Amino acid sequence: MPLFDLLLELPNHLVLASAFGFMALLLVGGIIRAEASGALGATIRMVGSAGLTVAFGITLVQLGGAFVGVPLGEDGHYWVEAAVNGTPQRFLIDTGATYTTLSSEVAREAMVEPGAHSGRVNLHTANGDTPAQIAQIDSLEVGSIHAADMTTIIAPTIGTTNVLGMNFLSSLEGWRVEGKVMILTPKVTD
């Protein structure tokens, strides 16, 4: 296993315990340096500083892909770039939508097709009822967040607006709005 992957797998409590240990070394090194032997205290402080720097670096690596921040658009909505089966697309995040919804054009581009046993549904939208089909997205990526086998609705009458609905948001560890940014936090997988 490469070193980078090993660092990502370290348990958070081990990294935290190490950081406290290195902080203690810094403190002890400072006391020894002031009281008795400057060289020994300086060496202990150097080891403590190096260890604390490594623990901080591991924490940054672990947090690097931990969340996706989506800024509020000028129109008052949260828009995000995502990849549907590897095809880049723009999505409106809609907490009022039950399912992720694709326009017919995007479904065609991303090769998302209704399965043999998928049914038809009738969407109840702000613009009235519209017929649609159920399908599965093999792969949906939003930044560092990856969802597989996600149920989607292909709606021919929604124009060019694609919607990330609650079925995507519910697959996350959590989501929240802080100021004018929506924070999407993926589930941690073991």
Side-chain angles (χ1 to χ4, degrees):
M1 174 181 276
L3 179 61
F4 184 78
D5 291 339
L6 183 63
L7 293 177
L8 288 175
E9 297 300 319
L10 282 176
N12 290 335
H13 64 275
L14 178 62
V15 176
L16 182 61
S18 299
F20 279 120
F22 290 123
M23 283 189 275
L25 280 177
L26 283 170
L27 180 64
V28 169
I31 292 171
I32 291 175
R33 185 173 174 192
E35 296 293 323
S37 170
L40 177 61
T43 301
I44 292 173
R45 285 178 55 89
M46 185 174 70
V47 169
S49 292
L52 196 55
T53 301
V54 168
F56 181 67
I58 290 170
T59 301
L60 287 179
V61 166
Q62 289 176 334
L63 292 175
F67 64 87
V68 173
V70 182
L72 184 66
E74 290 182 17
D75 62 356
H77 297 286
Y78 293 97
W79 294 91
V80 67
E81 295 296 322
V84 179
N85 296 338
T87 304
Q89 298 297 330
R90 187 171 187 237
F91 281 83
L92 167 71
I93 300 176
D94 186 351
T95 60
T98 304
Y99 290 102
T100 296
T101 306
L102 301 176
S103 68
S104 295
E105 181 182 321
V106 168
R108 218 176 5 266
E109 286 177 28
M111 295 187 287
V112 176
E113 298 178 8
H117 302 291
S118 349
R120 292 189 170 278
V121 293
N122 200 27
L123 295 180
H124 306 289
T125 70
N127 296 326
D129 291 352
T130 183
Q133 292 181 296
I134 301 172
Q136 292 293 118
I137 296 173
D138 294 330
S139 171
L140 178 63
E141 295 180 15
V142 178
S144 61
I145 299 171
H146 181 265
D149 298 322
M150 177 154 295
T151 299
T152 189
I153 305 294
I154 300 173
T157 60
I158 65 168
T160 59
T161 303
N162 303 298
V163 175
L164 278 181
M166 284 304 297
N167 67 326
F168 173 79
L169 295 174
S170 297
S171 73
L172 303 173
E173 182 68 32
W175 59 273
R176 66 190 183 282
V177 175
E178 292 184 9
K180 293 184 177 183
V181 177
M182 180 178 277
I183 308 294
L184 307 177
T185 307
K187 283 191 178 171
V188 178
T189 56
D190 294 326

